[in-house]
Amino acid sequence: MDLWTSGVAGIMVLVVLVLSSSFRAAGEEVCDAALVSSLPPSSFRSSSQLSGSHAPSFAKLNRRDGAGGWSPLASDRYQWLEADLGERTKVTAVATQGRYGSSDWLTSYLLMFSDTGHNWKQYRQEDSLGSFPGNSNADSVVQYKLQQPVVARFLRLIPLGWNPNGRIGLRLEAYGCPYTSDVASLDGGSSLTYSPSPALKRTFRDVVTLKFKTVRNSGMLLHAGGAGGLGLSLELERGKLQLLLRQGQASSAEPRRLASLGSLLDDQHWHRVAVERRGVHLNVTVDKHTEKVRVPAEFGHWDVQQLNVGGGPGLGPETPGRSGRNFHGCLENLLYNGHSLIDLVKQKSRQVAVTGNVTFSCDEPLSVAVTFPGPQSFLQLPGVPASSSGSFSVGFQFRTWNRAGLLLTFALPQEGGVVWLLPERGQTEAADPQSWEGSAGAQCRLGSK
């Protein structure tokens, strides 16, 4: 091969490599940039630290700063390390390493994520296992690619196991890319109404995708209406998402339930919803669960004339089949056949009518949920001085799958007794356990559900 031919071949190889790289960038999202290594010290928090040189800000992969990583004051399962990524970010992988030059490393851990740093959710793999494998020494890196990427601002690692001949030691990295989104907040009295352009060609396929989060367990999320009052609705009812079929113009007409998906969807975490219609076939997805539904034959020639978001036409009073309420919460990346409805609202498009107060941010509630995962977990609070009247009050909301269990207990020093608050047979009762054998009058039923 002469010099000219060799040069041409080299140029061709270079062009092929450049085209290949560009195709990857265009065909699939590259989302593997290091997220933690460039964070400032103020972005790290921990339950405790062994010393100033073991601070959480030293927990950066392949670094030797300080004592070579983070170590807490005590090695137990009450410790945690937290990183603030600065903004909501798509996270695709995590990697861990032990503390440099030591016998301190994790053998397993939990990964938690949050938008606020207060309301946390545990990452679970497809097989429902919650723990991640850790390290076998202080220097090797163990990277785990998340089966389902998460979007969060805060990451928290909770050690479950560590070297029995050492203590907890950690250096951390997370990988991902920036996350952009359109967000809208509905206050329970507001809604959006989208009218597709009549010039659009009739299609037998419609796709709606969105994310939502709320602390209200009931409310109308979506309603797609067509000619003759034929429509489909997605409604939250007691924390589950119901797919309802409506026929007829009358608001009092009883809807027909086609599917029920999800559970405890009012947990103030983002949940993904996708609805795809192909003629009379519907695929409805909530988070990772998809259900296939066949609708009546009339939908084979059905067009969406109006899409209501957060409410619906003629919402009436609550009945067993309908909530009667508008949605109260946040929506993100609301797309109908590829069109961003939130972006259309921002552009003040005539295709979208706004009812009530719609804002483009998502405020977090002040309340923080506490989860008790097992019978050995509990929360103990310090006592408070009684008021001059000798009374005090406590209030909370709870939900559980268990029909019995201790909710709350406190002492009555002046009366020399103890009060227990517990659900029993689906009813909430207060009782003085010392008097159970002698008198049933010491029990007080507070309510039933």
Side-chain angles (χ1 to χ4, degrees), residues 98-423:
R99 192 168 62 82
Y100 174 75
S102 73
S103 56
D104 304 338
W105 61 82
L106 303 184
T107 57
S108 63
Y109 60 92
L110 295 179
L111 177 64
M112 313 289 288
F113 59 94
S114 170
D115 284 347
T116 63
H118 302 291
N119 193 17
W120 294 90
K121 189 171 185 179
Q122 180 183 339
Y123 181 86
R124 291 187 177 273
Q125 305 168 53
E126 294 288 358
D127 52 12
S128 296
L129 296 178
S131 63
F132 286 77
N135 303 86
S136 57
N137 57 56
D139 297 320
S140 62
V141 175
V142 175
Q143 181 173 329
Y144 190 90
K145 186 174 182 180
L146 303 184
Q147 296 170 346
Q148 293 290 335
V150 299
V151 175
R153 173 177 171 177
F154 297 88
L155 297 179
R156 179 178 285 191
L157 266 71
I158 301 178
L160 294 180
W162 48 90
N163 179 20
N165 298 317
R167 60 189 306 123
I168 293 174
L170 178 62
R171 285 177 285 175
L172 165 71
E173 185 57 272
Y175 302 92
C177 56
Y179 178 77
T180 56
S181 66
D182 287 318
V183 177
S185 180
L186 307 181
D187 62 5
S190 53
S191 62
L192 308 176
T193 302
Y194 172 69
S195 301
S197 172
L200 292 177
K201 184 179 179 181
R202 170 177 287 184
T203 175
F204 294 100
R205 181 176 183 267
D206 292 291
V207 180
V208 180
T209 59
L210 63 100
K211 286 185 177 181
F212 76 90
K213 69 175 177 179
T214 180
V215 292
R216 304 293 177 90
N217 67 0
S218 298
M220 172 79 78
L221 191 61
L222 294 172
H223 174 76
L230 187 65
L232 294 169
S233 298
L234 278 177
E235 292 190 32
L236 275 173
E237 183 68 31
R238 297 185 179 181
K240 296 183 178 182
L241 201 60
Q242 313 286 345
L243 175 65
L244 304 175
L245 168 67
R246 284 188 164 86
Q247 295 175 294
Q249 299 283 3
S251 61
S252 59
E254 191 70 19
R256 172 185 163 195
R257 180 176 295 150
L258 300 177
S260 178
L261 297 92
S263 178
L264 304 181
L265 299 177
D266 54 331
D267 60 356
Q268 194 56 23
H269 288 290
W270 289 105
H271 296 280
R272 179 180 178 273
V273 176
V275 181
E276 180 181 6
R277 180 187 72 93
R278 290 179 180 269
V280 297
H281 299 280
L282 273 157
N283 287 340
V284 185
T285 300
V286 176
D287 295 327
K288 300 176 184 179
H289 176 65
T290 299
E291 190 160 332
K292 299 180 183 297
V293 179
R294 184 179 176 87
V295 293
E298 298 96 307
F299 282 90
H301 305 282
W302 179 72
D303 285 332
V304 176
Q305 297 180 346
Q306 187 170 280
L307 182 67
N308 299 94
V309 181
L315 272 180
E318 293 186 41
T319 68
R322 62 193 298 178
S323 67
R325 308 175 191 169
N326 282 19
F327 173 78
H328 189 160
C330 300
L331 302 173
E332 180 182 64
N333 293 344
L334 171 61
L335 303 178
Y336 172 70
N337 290 344
H339 300 284
S340 172
L341 302 195
I342 296 176
D343 189 51
L344 290 177
V345 175
K346 291 179 178 179
Q347 296 176 10
K348 298 183 179 180
S349 168
R350 294 183 178 180
Q351 285 186 272
V352 185
V354 177
T355 301
N357 183 34
V358 176
T359 58
F360 302 113
S361 62
C362 187
D363 296 329
E364 299 292 336
L366 298 178
S367 60
V368 177
V370 177
T371 300
F372 300 96
Q376 302 302 320
S377 57
F378 64 92
L379 181 65
Q380 184 174 4
L381 301 176
V384 294
S387 65
S388 57
S389 62
S391 63
F392 70 95
S393 63
V394 59
F396 60 92
Q397 295 177 325
F398 77 94
R399 60 185 177 193
T400 179
W401 295 113
N402 300 327
R403 293 182 61 84
L406 183 61
L407 282 175
L408 177 71
T409 179
F410 57 90
L412 299 173
Q414 296 180 356
E415 290 78 7
V418 177
V419 173
W420 286 13
L421 181 67
L422 66 162

Side-chain angles (χ1 to χ4, degrees), residues 42-80:
S42 58
S43 296
F44 296 87
R45 295 176 62 238
S46 65
S47 52
S48 64
Q49 59 190 54
L50 185 60
S51 69
S53 59
H54 295 80
S57 59
F58 296 128
K60 294 183 178 181
L61 207 70
N62 294 321
R63 299 286 185 87
R64 302 181 182 182
D65 305 330
W70 167 70
S71 283
L73 186 61
S75 290
D76 54 40
R77 293 192 174 190
Y78 297 102
Q79 308 303 322
W80 47 265

